[in-house]
Amino acid sequence: GPRGALPPLVPGASAEEAKAHREAAERLASIAYVAPSMLRNLLGRGHAAFSTMQQQDAEEYWGHLLDRLQREEQRQRASGAPGCDSLASTGGHLGALFEFEEETRLQCTTSATVRYTTGPARSIVLPIPEERATNKAEVEAAKAAAAAAASSEDAGAAGSVAKTARTGEGEGDAGSSSRAAAAAASAAAAPAGSAPQEVPLKVPFEACLEAMAADAFVPDLVSGATGKAEPHTKRTRFARFPPYLMLQMRRYTVGDDWQPKKVTAEVVVPEMLDISALRAGGGLQPGETAMPAAAATDAAASAAAAPEPDAGIVEQLMMLGLGSDNACKRAALAVDNANAEVAAGWLMEHMGDADINDPIAAPASAGGAAADEPPAALVETICAMGFEPAQAKRALRATDLDPERAVEWLFSHAGDEDNSPEQAPVTTEWAGRDGDGKYELFGIISHLGKNTGGGHYVAHVKKNGTWCIFNDRKVALSHSPPFGLGYLYFFRRLDAPGSLSDEPGKPRAVQPTCPVNAE
């Protein structure tokens, strides 16, 4: 049953055994539980996508879950609810345990000048370079065998149809059709062992890390040094290592036919992970020349003439199901409306950005129109929903005085330091906020299914040294966790509170798994 069930009582059991069985059944029936569907309905309430029964992306849902928890935690702290002091000492909300800062290095290849920026993130996305697979020959041989088997089945079915036509002996068209259908069904029902099995590509995890850490080429970006569109390279590193790390394998991409596809390659993720080599250097390094900032007049002119996202590109990205309307608009603008293919590539690279689904704020005009005082009526409308006047004004300015978008903006920016209601101060520098880049795997979310539009998600969690599978309301021990086929992987830093190491404060020795330089 939904709450679990005891094995049936063995016939001939004693009175004592029957009593014990009855008491165990009563205890099991009294256990309170929350069905997954109940939790899903609660968290999805009011959300355009997650309130439906359609297939949703687990990574997007994870971000939605953290946002909902953050808003509720901040509301509880603002109301002075008991038990919230511990949240204030760890960044103010549960999601802070996953948050970190990325340092991005941008270099103009023409002038060799560099610029460093730091931005927030709460996950890393690893590409799967299928060209680095170690079993290409085996995969090609399996495909050839499958094609040969299919060709043989087609030839056999055609021969059966011809023979039926010659030996029908007056059965007529109906008899011929039925025999042909029976022959085709017989060919399709061949023993499973006789059909070649599909062989997945096997890509080393180190290859995925190297692809993520490698310099990315950015064409036609305006350089602060030359003032013209120049080729650039971009590199991202960790400014700090969070207590908990969520790693996403990029298993969903766009094929050559512009249709979404799932990457089924096997990438065995290690249980012990060392990414210390990916720590950022901390800004400008010796021998580097800083890229000049654009002149203020140029910045104002650029803001005044800010382009609009190309509607055609946005529509193509939306039809492909690559993200929300705001995400697709952001992708089109990021590539200067080049084309849908380039925008799709950018969007796949930035799926994990914290602001990817945020509304795009209108740029301030030269006269400072964006800083004008919003109409009092709109401010009062938003304040009636429980927000403060300063919050309402800031949200209205950021959304071009659109009250509906302003409310969405407030929810999506609930964690912003200058957008929070007055409440107990939150500690931004707390114990355990940063540490060594050594982690241990404790959770896996994997997708069962061959395409992005359907399927089923299951979770594997390591509890007390044992892996368990969570499949809706079914929970069982797992003897073979899908280390190579997961979509989302959850790690706990070894020196973080509650780590899985043998002794608190004494993390296990971890072999480096990232063969890249820290530069």
Side-chain angles (χ1 to χ4, degrees), residues 193-402:
S194 63
Q197 294 184 350
E198 183 178 352
V199 177
L201 289 169
K202 295 183 178 180
V203 180
F205 178 73
E206 291 76 10
C208 300
L209 274 178
E210 290 175 3
M212 185 271 291
D215 288 355
F217 181 71
V218 184
D220 299 331
L221 189 66
V222 176
S223 170
T226 66
K228 299 183 299 182
E230 306 282 5
H232 287 68
T233 59
K234 185 179 71 170
R235 179 191 306 168
T236 302
R237 293 291 185 268
F238 288 84
R240 69 177 178 90
F241 294 114
Y244 293 84
L245 178 67
M246 197 268 274
L247 183 153
Q248 176 188 6
M249 300 302 299
R250 187 177 298 145
R251 292 199 173 275
Y252 304 111
T253 182
V254 179
D256 296 335
D257 56 356
W258 281 98
Q259 294 298 315
K261 74 169 187 176
K262 179 181 178 179
V263 179
T264 58
E266 180 179 344
V267 182
V268 179
V269 176
E271 290 194 72
M272 308 298 289
L273 177 67
D274 184 356
I275 53 174
S276 303
L278 293 180
R279 184 180 286 276
L284 200 67
Q285 300 298 303
E288 293 181 336
T289 302
M291 184 184 300
T297 54
D298 294 340
S302 176
E308 291 290 326
D310 185 278
I313 294 177
V314 174
E315 183 179 1
Q316 289 185 60
L317 298 179
M318 291 287 290
M319 290 178 63
L320 292 170
L322 294 180
S324 65
D325 179 67
N326 288 328
C328 295
K329 289 179 179 178
R330 194 176 296 274
L333 291 176
V335 300
D336 295 328
N337 291 323
N339 56 57
E341 182 176 1
V342 177
W346 185 94
L347 189 55
M348 299 301 294
E349 289 279 349
H350 295 78
M351 281 291 190
D353 291 1
D355 62 345
I356 190 65
N357 294 308
D358 290 352
I360 300 174
S365 64
D372 291 343
E373 191 74 7
L378 295 181
V379 175
E380 292 177 1
T381 299
I382 296 178
C383 288
M385 302 179 67
F387 297 101
E388 296 183 354
Q391 292 177 289
K393 292 177 182 178
R394 182 165 180 256
L396 287 167
R397 294 190 188 105
T399 56
D400 199 21
L401 304 181
D402 186 328

Side-chain angles (χ1 to χ4, degrees), residues 96-242:
L97 297 173
F98 289 86
E99 294 175 352
F100 58 97
E101 287 75 45
E102 289 181 328
E103 181 184 271
T104 300
R105 178 184 186 271
L106 191 68
Q107 181 173 26
C108 171
T109 59
T110 301
S111 64
T113 56
V114 298
R115 175 181 297 157
Y116 286 90
T117 57
T118 303
R122 58 186 179 193
S123 67
I124 61 172
V125 183
L126 263 62
I128 303 178
E130 295 182 280
E131 68 276 6
R132 297 283 301 275
T134 59
N135 64 332
K136 291 181 181 179
E138 182 183 355
V139 172
E140 292 302 322
K143 289 182 179 179
S151 176
S152 176
E153 289 180 2
D154 292 342
S160 298
V161 171
K163 182 177 179 181
T164 300
R166 292 193 304 269
T167 61
E169 296 183 356
E171 290 181 350
D173 293 339
S176 300
S177 300
S178 63
R179 285 179 179 271
S186 176
S194 63
Q197 294 184 350
E198 183 178 352
V199 177
L201 289 169
K202 295 183 178 180
V203 180
F205 178 73
E206 291 76 10
C208 300
L209 274 178
E210 290 175 3
M212 185 271 291
D215 288 355
F217 181 71
V218 184
D220 299 331
L221 189 66
V222 176
S223 170
T226 66
K228 299 183 299 182
E230 306 282 5
H232 287 68
T233 59
K234 185 179 71 170
R235 179 191 306 168
T236 302
R237 293 291 185 268
F238 288 84
R240 69 177 178 90
F241 294 114

Side-chain angles (χ1 to χ4, degrees), residues 67 70-71 74 391 409-417 419-421:
D67 291 340
Q70 178 178 347
R71 292 198 295 268
Q74 290 186 327
Q391 292 177 289
W409 187 93
L410 282 168
F411 282 133
S412 62
H413 290 75
D416 291 3
E417 189 171 326
N419 189 45
S420 302

